[in-house]
Amino acid sequence: MKTYWLIRCAGLAALGALPACSPQAENQLATNTIMKACPGFVETGKSPLVYRAECGELTVKENPADPNSADIRLAILRLPAISPVADADPLFLIQGGPGGSSIDMANQIHTFFADVRKNRDLVFVDQRGTGKSNPLACEQIKPEELTLPEAAQTEKYLSLMKSCAEKYRNNSAFYTTNYAVQDLDAVRAALGYSKINLWGGSYGTRVALEYARRFPQQARTIVLDGVAPVNIALPKYFSRDAMAALSAVSNECLAQADCAAEYGDIVQKAELVLQRLKSLQEKGETLSVSYEHPRNQLTETLQLTPRIFSSLIFMSLYSRDLTVLLPRAISNAEKEDYRLLAAVFALSGEQSELMNITEGMRYSVICNEDWPLVSQTDIEQSKPFLGYSFVKEIQPVCALWPKAELPADYWQPIKSGIPALLLSGKHDPVTPEAWAKEVAAHLPNATLLSAAGGNHSISSEGCVPQLIAQFIERASMQNVKSDCVNNIKPLPLVLGANQKKTPASAADNMLSTGSEQP
């Protein structure tokens, strides 16, 4: 790393670019020794090596207030700017979850920030407790236990979480968001940056906001995609917001003649499917669905229970590509053809796995930051989403999870004049636009953009990557034309509805080929 910098700096000096060899650059040289080339960083194991990727670790105290506390290592990935004369303020990108790995996320999203990377470094830090930064991992239910009745699975899961809570009882209090932002600033300083830009997705927006509150002089801009402030009180509003998203899809279908004729009211049909599955469960029976996996066409089997049904609808609403399949999948299921529904479940499961959630960190955040805002009345009056109560699901876990002490002002609205770009999708089942509006009320330099065809993250959609790059370049949305976001419209809900009918449509052939269910 030193050799590369010296050659680069000498070459620039010869060209008259002496500012690149300023004291600031010398500081960069001194601090960048924690970073090394990481040729093993590959995009999902298939694409070529990411150009000049660097990996490193920074050691910090688990309890920053105690010099005798245990050391933990923060994993860092940096994708250096393409320009030989990079801007001094990089973009730090923060994963959601909570509990997701930012470095794993880099595999999927770094290409969408190619315009930013032309002139700025991209930095990904695994938040403490996630990825390779001392992960608070919990033991998981074994594959063979997934065939147990739902009640038995729930009992087993709670037993595992109780053991996990005991395992981390003495240190989980140091894995909340307030410690995470201290780590981010330590990484900033170690890498020699005076100011940074931040992009956060979902829970990552909370981290970015908290950083802006605690380190206002170091935050240049913030981009918040799928805004999740602390008062969202995860998962208090999940059922409400998920049903609103599903209803929006259903209403769009009913407003289109072809879709209305083909699929009808998908919320009503989803309720009918749910009741059928509940009836089977009450009889001690489970619906077994044989289908071909859409990735490899291998035959797989799904035990479709009421809980799995509601979960797969919920997870599908996260994705624009999967949401468009829901009208057909639910309508087919109402007709007792569950193959496409099972295929959607497989795809939504893949997306969940990519986040690589560490449950110990997840519960350390939710049970200490969100759950205190959920009252007993909220629990008693919570309405389920297609029979599934997110609040009652997490209640027993938070009841046993170790408690943490947070700053007194942690739950207060974050007020900041830092330029902010807030992004939302109409079909977002967890962080709808209302949360962005609430946060923006305290950010005088905020710009809100909402995509009618967006779901839970729109940074990769349409012109949004270019808008993000322009915003970061200018530290403002002034004179930036953003009406192109209006072109991100809902995808067609009827595939080939105007074409001649065949026994199996293109969508069914692609995603749901398999034998009929009994």
Side-chain angles (χ1 to χ4, degrees), residues 24 27-32 34 58 76 78 90 92 123 181-196 211 215 218:
Q24 180 181 1
N27 181 55
Q28 187 82 5
L29 168 63
T31 55
N32 279 356
I34 65 172
L58 179 67
I76 308 166
R78 176 165 61 184
F92 276 49
V123 180
V181 298
Q182 294 180 52
D183 292 342
L184 280 182
D185 199 60
V187 171
R188 173 202 62 77
L191 295 181
Y193 301 120
S194 297
K195 285 182 174 288
I196 61 175
Y211 185 91
F215 302 97
Q218 284 71 46

Side-chain angles (χ1 to χ4, degrees), residues 414-451:
I414 294 175
K415 302 176 182 179
S416 173
I418 295 169
L421 178 62
L422 283 62
L423 307 172
S424 302
K426 180 180 177 181
H427 294 144
D428 191 332
V430 287
T431 59
E433 186 182 15
W435 294 110
K437 290 180 177 178
E438 183 173 313
V439 169
H442 303 283
L443 306 176
N445 292 321
T447 299
L448 282 73
L449 298 178
S450 179

